[in-house]
Amino acid sequence: MKIAIAGAGAMGSRFGLMLHQQGHEITLIDQWPAHIEAIRENGLIADLNGEMITAKMPIYAPEEIAGLDQEVDLIIALTKANQLDAMFNDIQSLINEDTHVICLLNGLGHEDVLAKYVKKENILLGITMWTAGLEGPGRAKLFGTGEVELENIEPAGEAFARKVTDIFTEAGLNAVYSTNVKHSIWRKACVNGTLNGLCTILDCNIADLGAQPVSEKMIRTIIHEFAIVAKTEHVELDEEEVFNHVATTFDPNGVGLHHPSMHQDLIKNNRLTEIDYINGAVSRKGDVQGIDTPYCDFLTALVHAKEGILGAQ
Ligand SMILES: NC(=O)C1=CN([C@@H]2O[C@H](COP(=O)(O)OP(=O)(O)OC[C@H]3O[C@@H](n4cnc5c(N)ncnc54)[C@H](OP(=O)(O)O)[C@@H]3O)[C@@H](O)[C@H]2O)C=CC1
Ligand SMILES: CC(C)(CO)C(=O)C(=O)O
């Protein structure tokens, strides 16, 4: 399959590499000039669970795409949330009537952005528990295991969504076809709404957060705020089940030693975060519905204050 990775940072590198190893024709797209230069010169260099791999894949900046005369079967969206709109604006020439897009970004509401560029029957939404980090331009560190859940947003997209499930699984990405991806997205948002902001403010990894006796109350309260807001969108979250799901990430032999992507953004790379698309989105939705979400409000404010103190860009 001809696949473009829109946002070939840490996670885009993982998906690009694993699908490339399975024989798919991958085009990476990213706007970090040093990353593009490094991959063009040396290939993508990845530490994949301790094995060093070099993969040669074409990589372009978004603004180079219009000049390519190329269309693809599938675009995997893995930008940061605040980059999604600009990326799709730049890469429209890749999209034809049959091109499907799968969005694997963390956070809520990305389908509204994608619908500006792709017909709804060609949009797939997903979540992933895979992790990834960049150690520098062109160098990815990929450890642990994970999975993907995905679904079409319109019934007409089901056959293609099932096909994507199969090719992801063949590539070792452990995909399952979901029959309620909206629920999965809210459930994953609870994982990010608890781990990402808290690990960022506390400057710790997931295992360290999980090991603190005071963490359980904070995590349960945030999950409760997500659950009452999700209910207004007809999504029923079982708070106990979601807490247990979040707690599975504390295991140092699983993803416990991972610093969530928000920590990588702000603490490691001094970049603005996705907080407005996670806890901030719940606060805004709560405001509209007249529901108080004090923990989400406070965590969003703390992360923004930290962005300001660190001069993140
Ligand atoms: N990392 C993870 O473990 C996980 C991430 N996710 C989600 O996947 C999506 C993509 O995240 P992720 O892959 O982590 O994003 P990255 O930060 O690795 O990549 C996003 C973009 O940021 C830029 N960038 C990254 N590092 C630097 C740097 N040091 N200096 C300058 N620019 C840099 C790159 O382009 P540009 O110049 O365009 O900014 C890149 O395309 C997000 O929605 C995230 O929440 C989901 C599960 C796990
Ligand atoms: C790995 C996980 C689940 C941790 O929060 C994630 O999605 C991220 O790092 O953004």
Coordinates of all heavy atoms in Angstrom, one line a residue, residues 14 18 88 151 269 299 308:
R14 N 7.9 5.4 14.2 CA 7.6 4.0 14.6 C 6.7 3.4 13.5 O 6.9 2.3 13.0 CB 6.9 3.9 16.0 CG 6.4 2.5 16.3 CD 5.7 2.4 17.5 NE 6.4 2.3 18.7 CZ 7.2 1.2 19.1 NH1 7.4 0.2 18.3 NH2 7.8 1.2 20.3
M18 N 7.8 0.4 10.9 CA 7.2 -1.0 11.0 C 6.5 -1.3 9.8 O 6.5 -2.5 9.3 CB 6.4 -1.1 12.3 CG 7.3 -1.1 13.6 SD 6.4 -1.1 15.1 CE 5.9 -2.8 15.3
F88 N -2.4 19.3 6.9 CA -3.3 18.8 5.9 C -3.6 19.9 4.8 O -3.8 19.6 3.6 CB -4.6 18.2 6.5 CG -4.5 16.8 6.8 CD1 -3.8 16.4 7.9 CD2 -4.9 15.8 5.9 CE1 -3.5 15.1 8.2 CE2 -4.6 14.5 6.2 CZ -3.9 14.1 7.3
E151 N -11.5 2.6 13.9 CA -12.8 2.4 13.3 C -13.1 3.6 12.3 O -12.6 4.7 12.5 CB -13.9 2.5 14.4 CG -15.3 2.0 13.9 CD -16.4 2.2 15.0 OE1 -16.1 2.8 16.1 OE2 -17.5 1.8 14.7
N269 N 12.1 19.0 25.2 CA 12.3 19.8 24.0 C 11.8 21.3 24.0 O 11.9 21.9 23.0 CB 11.6 19.1 22.8 CG 12.2 17.7 22.6 OD1 13.4 17.5 22.7 ND2 11.4 16.7 22.2
L299 N -5.0 21.7 36.2 CA -3.8 21.0 35.5 C -3.5 21.8 34.2 O -2.3 22.0 33.8 CB -4.1 19.6 35.2 CG -3.0 18.7 34.8 CD1 -1.8 18.8 35.7 CD2 -3.4 17.2 34.7
G308 N 5.0 28.9 30.0 CA 5.4 30.3 30.0 C 6.7 30.5 30.7 O 7.6 31.2 30.2

